[in-house]
Amino acid sequence: MEKNPWKVIDQRAVYENAWIALTEYNVINPSGGKGIYGSVHFKNTAVGIVVLDEELNTYLVGQYRFVPGKYSWEIPEGGQPVGLDPLEGAKRELLEETGLKAGDWQVLQTVHLSNSVTDELAIIYLARDVSQHKASPEETEQLEVRKMRFEDAYRLVEDGSITDSISVIALTKIKLLLAEGKLK
């Protein structure tokens, strides 16, 4: 079942900016019917960072998100141009948003965020051995940073207060690893 059952007849660029490109395809679908398919290509790899300190505290970043039109609590996250080292992007985002630097980094999870319509890839990192420095958010960001016990952050996932997909995935993964005794 790994063979691609879709056939592309032709394609056209619909829209492009510095972050995304939208393409429309004329296709023959897996059942043999003609149709169209739209695809959003992301020019950045999404990066998310779960900080876990010695006392099992983590950091959340709050900001108003333009597209859903609401305030959102999330793990620190951002993007790194495709083709550049995502870990360097994660380090930059963590410092920009929280003022933290980490001495220990590991990949926690790699996910496709909405693979039915986009190619957006997210790499989520666990950052440990952190030290505080000066934050420098981008001009588009008005951020509030909260340090809290990991369990309190995870409760925000459980009660539906955190809806950002990268954050839900990341905090749930940490919860599982802690429950399995794979993190301390």
Side-chain angles (χ1 to χ4, degrees):
M1 295 301 280
E2 291 189 24
K3 183 180 174 206
N4 182 357
W6 292 85
K7 291 186 175 76
V8 176
I9 298 167
D10 62 26
Q11 66 189 57
R12 71 180 181 93
V14 176
Y15 173 79
E16 185 169 356
N17 65 26
W19 303 279
I20 62 169
L22 174 61
T23 303
E24 182 179 88
Y25 299 88
N26 284 308
V27 299
I28 304 294
N29 69 35
S31 298
K34 287 185 177 183
I36 62 167
Y37 210 98
S39 171
V40 180
H41 165 68
F42 279 77
K43 296 179 181 182
N44 288 311
T45 299
V47 294
I49 307 98
V50 177
V51 174
L52 209 54
D53 71 13
E54 298 290 323
E55 293 81 36
L56 297 183
N57 293 307
T58 194
Y59 290 77
L60 295 180
V61 176
Q63 64 183 305
Y64 189 87
R65 288 294 192 178
F66 179 83
V67 174
K70 62 184 265 186
Y71 201 82
S72 178
W73 283 101
E74 307 163 0
I75 63 171
E77 54 190 52
Q80 176 76 335
V82 171
L84 297 181
D85 184 0
L87 178 57
E88 292 306 312
K91 289 177 179 181
R92 183 193 67 247
E93 290 294 336
L94 183 62
L95 181 61
E96 280 179 9
E97 294 187 359
T98 66
L100 295 171
K101 289 185 179 181
D104 182 35
W105 290 85
Q106 68 183 67
V107 173
L108 187 61
Q109 187 80 40
T110 300
V111 295
H112 288 98
L113 295 175
S114 184
N115 65 4
S116 65
V117 293
T118 80
D119 64 359
E120 187 175 24
L121 178 69
I123 301 174
I124 305 167
Y125 295 92
L126 172 60
R128 303 202 79 175
D129 186 26
V130 294
S131 57
Q132 188 67 57
H133 301 268
K134 184 177 182 339
S136 57
E138 295 175 2
E139 69 176 21
T140 60
E141 298 173 319
Q142 288 185 325
L143 306 177
E144 182 180 349
V145 178
R146 285 193 184 159
K147 177 181 177 180
M148 63 178 60
R149 290 183 29 232
F150 172 80
E151 287 300 324
D152 293 335
Y154 183 72
R155 269 194 278 291
L156 296 174
V157 170
E158 287 183 311
D159 73 15
S161 297
I162 292 179
T163 60
D164 170 69
S165 61
I166 294 174
S167 300
V168 170
I169 293 164
L171 295 171
T172 301
K173 178 77 177 226
I174 293 292
K175 178 70 171 174
L176 291 170
L177 291 172
L178 287 169
E180 294 171 355
K182 295 181 179 176
L183 282 180
K184 296 184 189 292

